[in-house]
Amino acid sequence: DRNWRLDFVTDSFPALLEKLDRQEIDVLVGIAYSDERAQRFEFTAQTLVSNWGVLYRQPGVVIDSITDIDDIRVAVVTGTIHAQELLDLVGRFGLSIETVETVSYRDALAAVEDGRAEAAAVSRLYGLLYSPGFRVTETAIVYNPVEVRFAGPKGGDPRFLDAIDTYLAAGKTGADPRLQTHLAEVFGSQRGAAVPLWLYGIIGGVAVLFSLAAGIAFLLKREVARQTASLEASEREFREIIEKMPDPFYRTDATGRVILASPSCHDLLGYRREEIVGRNLADFYVSPEQRSKLVEAVLAGNGKPVMIEADLRHKAGHTVTLATRAFARFDADGNFAGIEGITRDISDRIAAEQALRESEERFQLAVRQAAIWDWDITADKLYCSPYLWEMLGYSEEEFAEVLRNTICSIVHPDEQDVFMAEIAAMKTDPDYRYHNEHRYRLRDGSYRWFESRGHCVFDAAGNPVRTVGMMIDIDHRKQAEAATMRLGRILERSFNEILLFDPDSLRFVAANEGARENLGYDVEELADMTPVDIHPEMTGASFAALIAPLRDGRRSSVSYEASLQRRDGTEYPVDVRVELIRESDRPVFVAIATDITDRRAKDRQLLQAVKTAEEANKAKSEFLASMSHELRTPLNAILGFAQMMDLDRREPLGPIQRDSIHSILKGGSHLLELVNDILDLARIEAEQVPHTIERVTVNDIVRECVDLVHTLADRRNIAISDRVSAGDPLEIDTDRLRFKQCLLNLLSNAIKYNLEGGSVEIDGGAMPNGFLRISVRDTGIGIPPAEHAGIFRMFHRVGANPMLSREGAGIGLSVTRMLIEQLAGQTGFTSEAGTGSTFWFELPLAGNSDVLIWTEELRTGIDPFDRDNQAMAGIVNRLAQLSADDVETPSVAGEAVEHARYCLERLEVVMEVCAFPDMEGWRLRFRHFTGELSTEAAILSERRDAESLVRYRRFLRSWWVDHIAAVDAGLAPLARGRDREIRRVLSNPD
Ligand code: ADP
């Protein structure tokens, strides 16, 4: 009420005294008054409380009188009056102690606790309040009564201390009760131990006595009396506390008779206190064992409290579960004096725990997404989790109504009997596993499938007590099952052959009706077979390679063509698609095979038609070749005689006749040139020109060609730059003359279709694909885009009427293309009208093992087979120029398979006609080859990688070369003289 603002300064005691000296604090609270200190500080006139010094000791150290402190270590707080007085006292008794200097009472007690000192001198008040927090024992040594007052610095503001004095005075006279209240608050129940204010005067007197050595005995007696009084006071307080304690308290004597009980015991057991006190504790226990357990535990606790849970009988008759914190009392002689206990009703807690456990279990089940039911059979109570009735579409009330009619009422009428039987079985047979699937009627009247699983618990007498279970909505599963069954029936009846086989063993695990009927095997037989057993052309390794992309997940399906072999040994071609199904826990391969006998037949007809057309074309070329030859003879005669007439000196011609003869000669030689060209072309096309393959140095040929066209170029003032002949030596295996012919064709075109003063550039080098490329670039008229497509066609000329053109007949480029292809190469060009063109060709470099150059050595002499083989060489070479990612690659590979089948079928027929030995073995070898080849082709078209392409090429080429050497050559002698017969069987495709 004076509006002081208080700043609390906390520090050690000596430091605080110094702060007071320096006027850093205005008021020091609770400092003992002494005359000496009064010289140093200002004090209040009034005293707050009286206090004195007390010694605390380590529990093991004996200090009964002042003389016992001789030669021991005593902790004192530096600068305190009690420290000073103790030293004076010790000096007066002629004793010596070792002081342990500390900065606070707390520190002093801690010093005793941690062994730095054996005893500590602290203020009585501090000790009362805080010593229970330390492992120290109070001694009987008390000394140096002092008055605790407030102090201020010398020269400080006197108003502070004056104001405090006013309060203290009012408090002492009782005019102001606040001081008493505050003290009570601070010291609490201990305040009885503190000397009342009005006593401080008496104590002051005692202090006088005390300071005399002779007064010690008296003081001790007083102290005993005081302690007795204080004990009585605390006993009173204890009883008071007991009266008010919310938790029931009791105390028994050694026989178990209750001698003290708090009123709250009534609340617990229903008995009044008077009814409890005097009765034996055992009377309240439900089971005697629990009661003896209590005594045992308490005795074992040896004075320390133990926790015991026990059931006691309430006056009303029911049982209450109590948790008791009990301990044994011992009398002064150490004999067991009885039990003391504070107890608490935990019936609710236990019930709650039980409920929690149960609901936890239910919850555990419920989290598994199932609806729970829990039927207490004894009490006939059915608990259903909300999920259950929600699942069925009912509200809680509606479902309660359902349950009143029994759950069976919503089971589908067709299934009610079975349902009841299952319930009965569950209740009577402990081994019965309740597990069923039923339709239940939903709130909206519709039915849905649910699966129930349950279990019945039986008591020791074998009576069903309780059944617990759960329900799962399986409607989707049921529908899926139905759909699967429908689908299964459809698949079963499908004409496609559907075969399932195991990923590990590759054995068939299922086959539909179509597959079983077509193959002629039944399910049992198939169970011991793998796809390799019904693919006569395949080996285990080739099949494994085929399905490898499915296993490693690179492809979702693999398709291939193959033959299937029936039980009776006959075969039929199929298109197979294989997938690995991983949906279920056991992955399985599914193969769907479609019979392609019809498609094969059509393909073969088509192939036959193509071959026939090719034959016809060849015939035309052959005709053309012989015709040209026939034309050349009379033409030579005409030219020869015209020349003779021109040169005849004896009968010289007139000027007009000479002009005519010159026209004949000019036109005739042009015609001869043309006929020669056509003859060459026809021969090449009819593949009648054998190639002579030799190692050639390209640089030399280029130089020769450039020399040959030089005059032509010079005439039109066209510069030729040759970047090849002087470069690194380039070697290839080819036909020298044909190479030269091709290059000359390109060079002469580049000059012919160039502008006056234009240029031609020859370039070339090895390509990464194993080919040599030679290109001829010109700065001529170019070719318009519309003409690009037909530029290599025979007799094709750009923008000209063939009859009018004087330049050429459109033969050069087609001859070039045909020759280059026969030499396992390819041709091409780029051109822009008005800017110029670049024509190029590629020929295999020496050592390119992917190509197959058709040479005399490969010819067998059996014409149809030579043609077949030559066509195969063409396919091999086309493949050699493709890369794995070219769009054409799979179809060219497929073409090779088709052509191989075609060739080998024709060959088989002829071999039979010629009675070729070991026909069966060859047939099998051929089938294996076509099988492997088609597998490789499938792998290639699935993977489209360089590795598969290289493998495919090598396999095809080497097999075919070996084949020509082994079979066709071997067949030639046998075929001699059978030409007619051979032609006949070959012309009949069936
Ligand atoms: P030709 O005997 O007519 O030259 P080719 O087969 O050599 O027969 O050429 C066919 C046609 O292609 C030529 O008539 C010409 O129109 C065109 N051609 C060929 N080479 C070139 C070129 N370098 N520049 C422009 N056009 C060309």
Side-chain angles (χ1 to χ4, degrees):
D1 45 352
R2 282 176 197 245
N3 273 338
W4 285 359
R5 207 195 75 214
L6 302 181
D7 285 335
F8 290 98
V9 178
T10 311
D11 213 331
S12 70
F13 188 72
L16 286 173
L17 293 182
E18 276 167 34
K19 282 186 172 155
L20 200 60
D21 278 334
R22 295 197 297 268
Q23 296 199 7
E24 282 171 27
I25 48 180
D26 297 306
V27 176
L28 182 63
V29 179
I31 170 171
Y33 175 85
S34 73
D35 290 338
E36 199 183 299
R37 277 181 177 165
Q39 306 283 312
R40 197 171 154 197
F41 310 116
E42 294 291 348
F43 278 88
T44 51
Q46 300 287 337
T47 302
L48 174 64
V49 285
S50 299
N51 199 3
W52 54 80
V54 185
L55 281 188
Y56 282 85
R57 60 172 171 90
Q58 285 181 350
V61 175
V62 179
I63 302 175
D64 287 331
S65 78
I66 191 81
T67 50
D68 290 333
I69 67 170
D70 199 5
D71 276 328
I72 68 164
R73 283 170 290 132
V74 181
V76 297
V77 181
T78 315
T80 54
I81 278 191
H82 297 309
Q84 189 53 50
E85 188 56 34
L86 181 69
L87 292 176
D88 287 352
L89 198 63
V90 166
R92 266 176 275 147
F93 278 91
L95 306 168
S96 79
I97 58 167
E98 189 189 332
T99 53
V100 176
E101 302 277 336
T102 62
V103 291
S104 65
Y105 287 137
R106 181 190 160 75
D107 191 13
L109 288 179
V112 174
E113 192 175 64
D114 63 31
R116 276 181 285 147
E118 285 145 306
V122 302
S123 99
R124 170 72 178 154
L125 285 177
Y126 185 87
L128 278 171
L129 284 171
Y130 299 112
S131 67
F134 294 86
R135 267 182 289 105
V136 294
T137 310
E138 194 183 341
T139 68
I141 315 280
V142 294
Y143 67 98
N144 189 32
V146 293
E147 295 168 13
V148 178
R149 299 191 189 180
F150 294 80
K154 277 277 187 231
D157 192 337
R159 282 179 306 160
F160 295 129
L161 296 180
D162 286 351
I164 295 171
D165 263 333
T166 316
Y167 282 113
L168 289 176
K172 229 180 305 179
T173 59
D176 186 344
R178 279 182 294 177
L179 181 62
Q180 291 293 338
T181 321
H182 288 320
L183 287 172
E185 260 170 33
V186 173
F187 299 114
S189 61
Q190 305 284 2
R191 79 178 181 277
V195 177
L197 287 174
W198 48 267
L199 264 180
Y200 82 90
I202 297 174
I203 290 177
V206 172
V208 180
L209 290 175
F210 198 91
S211 60
L212 301 170
I216 285 179
F218 175 69
L219 186 87
L220 286 176
K221 245 183 241 160
R222 269 201 73 91
E223 182 58 18
V224 169
R226 197 197 59 78
Q227 289 216 349
T228 311
S230 114
L231 261 175
E232 278 169 8
S234 59
E235 176 72 10
R236 264 199 311 282
E237 257 176 17
F238 173 61
R239 281 177 188 279
E240 239 171 71
I241 290 166
I242 283 177
E243 290 297 311
K244 296 198 181 95
M245 248 170 49
D247 284 336
F249 172 87
Y250 64 83
R251 181 183 278 175
T252 71
D253 63 15
T255 67
R257 201 170 56 88
V258 179
I259 52 172
L260 192 74
S262 68
S264 44
C265 289
H266 172 252
D267 303 333
L268 199 66
L269 294 171
Y271 295 100
R272 274 178 294 111
R273 190 208 309 233
E274 296 75 3
E275 292 175 287
I276 295 173
V277 175
R279 281 176 70 176
N280 199 297
L281 201 58
D283 296 349
F284 303 99
Y285 271 75
V286 172
S287 87
E289 295 94 314
Q290 284 188 347
R291 140 87 193 158
S292 30
K293 222 182 248 162
L294 170 78
V295 177
E296 269 167 39
V298 162
L299 284 174
N302 200 18
K304 288 203 195 68
V306 288
M307 279 302 290
I308 302 275
E309 284 185 14
D311 297 329
L312 272 77
R313 216 182 318 273
H314 194 271
K315 191 176 180 184
H318 63 266
T319 301
V320 285
T321 308
L322 302 182
T324 303
R325 190 176 151 83
F327 46 91
R329 283 191 308 118
F330 297 93
D331 63 16
D333 299 325
N335 298 316
F336 176 62
I339 296 174
E340 250 170 37
I342 297 175
T343 177
R344 186 171 280 186
D345 186 353
I346 54 163
S347 309
D348 289 348
R349 195 191 80 203
I350 286 185
E353 279 172 3
Q354 180 66 22
L356 188 69
R357 261 198 301 279
E358 277 173 17
S359 71
E360 190 116 80
E361 281 161 17
R362 286 180 189 138
F363 176 71
Q364 283 301 327
L365 289 168
V367 286
R368 281 175 218 144
Q369 289 249 337
I372 317 295
W373 44 266
D374 178 353
W375 181 21
D376 185 341
I377 298 173
T378 347
D380 195 20
K381 257 173 66 183
L382 178 61
Y383 165 84
C384 291
S385 71
Y387 189 76
L388 191 142
W389 36 263
E390 276 167 15
M391 200 166 70
L392 294 165
Y394 295 94
S395 73
E396 189 169 10
E397 295 73 38
E398 287 163 348
F399 196 65
E401 186 59 34
V402 169
L403 291 184
R404 264 192 286 283
N405 293 326
T406 81
I407 187 86
C408 185
S409 64
I410 58 165
V411 173
H412 194 281
D414 293 352
E415 293 156 24
Q416 283 183 354
D417 289 348
V418 178
F419 180 85
M420 290 310 289
E422 283 162 347
I423 296 275
M426 174 172 67
K427 276 168 61 182
T428 48
D429 180 0
D431 295 329
Y432 182 77
R433 303 306 300 178
Y434 180 72
H435 181 190
N436 60 38
E437 292 174 3
H438 288 302
R439 279 167 290 174
Y440 288 81
R441 194 177 62 239
L442 270 52
R443 168 73 174 76
D444 63 12
S446 65
Y447 283 91
R448 235 180 133 78
W449 281 99
F450 292 91
E451 179 188 329
S452 282
R453 284 166 191 272
H455 176 62
C456 187
V457 182
F458 291 78
D459 65 11
N463 299 315
V465 188
R466 187 177 174 190
T467 77
V468 188
M470 55 186 166
M471 248 165 89
I472 302 165
D473 185 339
I474 54 161
D475 208 58
H476 288 304
R477 195 188 82 199
K478 279 281 182 187
Q479 277 175 20
E481 275 173 12
T484 310
M485 270 170 70
R486 266 202 306 279
L487 198 62
R489 275 199 295 275
I490 294 167
L491 292 180
E492 176 69 10
R493 300 214 184 111
S494 158
F495 286 117
N496 280 326
E497 297 170 28
I498 303 171
L499 293 139
L500 274 58
F501 56 96
D502 183 77
D504 300 326
S505 67
L506 297 183
R507 288 216 182 83
F508 290 112
V509 291
N512 74 340
E513 202 177 284
R516 296 195 308 268
E517 284 199 345
N518 284 358
L519 288 168
Y521 290 106
D522 62 26
V523 181
E524 284 74 35
E525 286 166 323
L526 283 171
D528 281 335
M529 295 167 66
T530 74
V532 180
D533 296 325
I534 54 168
H535 280 319
E537 300 160 345
M538 283 194 200
T539 61
S542 65
F543 187 72
L546 187 62
I547 58 172
L550 297 177
R551 287 192 192 276
D552 60 27
R554 271 185 297 135
R555 312 287 304 185
S556 57
S557 71
V558 163
S559 304
Y560 61 92
E561 280 186 18
S563 293
L564 285 189
Q565 190 166 40
R566 296 191 185 90
R567 195 175 203 285
D568 62 14
T570 55
E571 287 174 28
Y572 56 106
V574 284
D575 189 10
V576 186
R577 181 187 167 86
V578 188
E579 283 182 36
L580 180 57
I581 309 288
R582 296 176 202 267
E583 250 110 84
S584 65
D585 46 354
R586 261 191 84 74
V588 69
F589 279 112
V590 178
I592 301 175
T594 316
D595 189 332
I596 53 164
T597 309
D598 290 350
R599 202 177 82 196
R600 255 306 154 68
K602 284 204 190 88
D603 282 353
R604 188 173 317 142
Q605 279 168 10
L606 203 67
L607 201 66
Q608 191 72 48
V610 171
K611 303 278 174 196
T612 311
E614 280 171 3
E615 296 281 310
N617 192 42
K618 292 253 159 70
K620 174 217 73 187
S621 298
E622 276 161 23
F623 168 74
L624 212 54
S626 59
M627 269 311 291
S628 306
H629 193 70
E630 298 302 314
L631 280 174
R632 234 166 24 157
T633 318
L635 199 54
N636 276 328
I638 292 167
L639 286 172
F641 284 113
Q643 257 162 7
M644 277 163 67
M645 284 168 81
D646 186 26
L647 299 173
D648 197 337
R649 303 263 169 244
R650 284 171 296 157
E651 291 173 51
L653 298 170
I656 297 170
Q657 284 167 315
R658 177 157 296 154
D659 275 357
S660 303
I661 283 291
H662 279 178
S663 292
I664 290 171
L665 277 174
K666 199 177 168 203
S669 52
H670 186 68
L671 188 61
L672 184 62
E673 227 173 86
L674 205 65
V675 168
N676 277 337
D677 281 352
I678 292 175
L679 181 62
D680 196 28
L681 170 79
R683 271 201 186 139
I684 293 166
E685 205 190 16
E687 286 161 356
Q688 288 174 349
V689 193
H691 296 300
T692 323
I693 305 297
E694 58 185 324
R695 181 63 53 96
V696 300
T697 310
V698 172
N699 313 53
D700 301 342
I701 301 180
V702 172
R703 189 175 303 116
E704 284 167 33
C705 291
V706 172
D707 287 348
L708 282 172
V709 296
H710 232 289
T711 25
L712 202 63
D714 287 349
R715 222 177 286 158
R716 303 195 62 207
N717 197 20
I718 289 165
I720 299 179
S721 75
D722 166 14
R723 291 164 181 251
V724 177
S725 50
D728 290 339
L730 294 163
E731 292 202 322
I732 60 172
D733 292 330
T734 196
D735 186 312
R736 166 186 281 272
L737 280 179
R738 293 307 188 179
F739 180 97
K740 211 165 148 185
Q741 184 182 357
C742 292
L743 181 54
L744 279 173
N745 273 343
L746 297 190
L747 281 173
S748 62
N749 279 351
I751 294 166
K752 248 197 293 187
Y753 302 105
N754 217 321
L755 305 174
E756 277 281 326
S759 67
V760 172
E761 189 182 294
I762 309 163
D763 214 338
M767 309 274 290
N769 61 355
F771 286 80
L772 163 89
R773 180 185 277 222
I774 295 288
S775 59
V776 177
R777 195 171 63 80
D778 65 61
T779 54
I781 55 172
I783 301 158
E787 302 288 344
H788 283 198
I791 208 79
F792 283 99
R793 245 185 2 239
M794 226 178 273
F795 311 120
H796 181 94
R797 289 172 313 152
V798 175
N801 180 332
M803 302 314 287
L804 297 179
S805 170
R806 299 190 159 261
E807 293 291 357
I811 291 175
L813 285 182
S814 35
V815 164
T816 303
R817 170 160 284 186
M818 280 189 292
L819 283 175
I820 295 292
E821 282 180 3
Q822 282 172 16
L823 291 170
Q826 59 177 341
T827 46
F829 76 103
T830 53
S831 180
E832 212 177 302
T835 310
S837 321
T838 304
F839 279 82
W840 55 262
F841 60 79
E842 285 177 0
L843 286 173
L845 286 165
N848 184 331
S849 54
D850 290 333
V851 297
L852 182 52
I853 303 177
W854 187 253
T855 57
E856 260 323 88
E857 295 90 78
L858 286 170
R859 203 181 286 277
T860 61
I862 311 170
D863 218 37
F865 294 137
D866 281 341
R867 290 214 183 117
D868 285 351
N869 291 337
Q870 221 167 339
M872 184 55 102
I875 297 174
V876 168
N877 293 336
R878 240 156 71 217
L879 211 54
Q881 288 146 8
L882 293 169
S883 66
D885 50 4
D886 269 317
V887 275
E888 282 178 75
T889 304
S891 67
V892 176
E895 200 183 315
V897 179
E898 285 302 316
H899 188 68
R901 274 207 189 100
Y902 169 83
C903 294
L904 297 176
E905 274 170 25
R906 280 156 58 90
L907 184 60
E908 271 183 41
V909 179
V910 173
M911 283 166 93
E912 245 160 59
V913 168
C914 298
F916 201 85
D918 186 24
M919 218 26 242
E920 266 319 292
W922 284 110
R923 213 192 295 276
L924 211 66
R925 254 162 264 160
F926 291 170
R927 194 124 25 141
H928 256 115
F929 167 70
T930 48
E932 288 280 290
L933 193 67
S934 75
T935 310
E936 291 290 334
I939 294 171
L940 174 61
S941 78
E942 291 293 337
R943 295 202 182 159
R944 303 294 294 274
D945 60 4
E947 189 198 328
S948 317
L949 177 61
V950 167
R951 219 182 40 219
Y952 183 84
R953 278 181 192 151
R954 301 263 152 93
F955 176 66
L956 173 62
R957 183 186 180 280
S958 65
W959 195 91
W960 208 260
V961 170
D962 291 352
H963 156 79
I964 294 170
V967 184
D968 294 3
L971 189 62
L974 297 172
R976 223 158 279 149
R978 288 189 159 130
D979 291 5
R980 270 257 207 82
E981 211 178 337
I982 288 171
R983 220 168 299 139
R984 189 181 54 76
V985 290
L986 286 182
S987 65
N988 177 6
D990 298 322

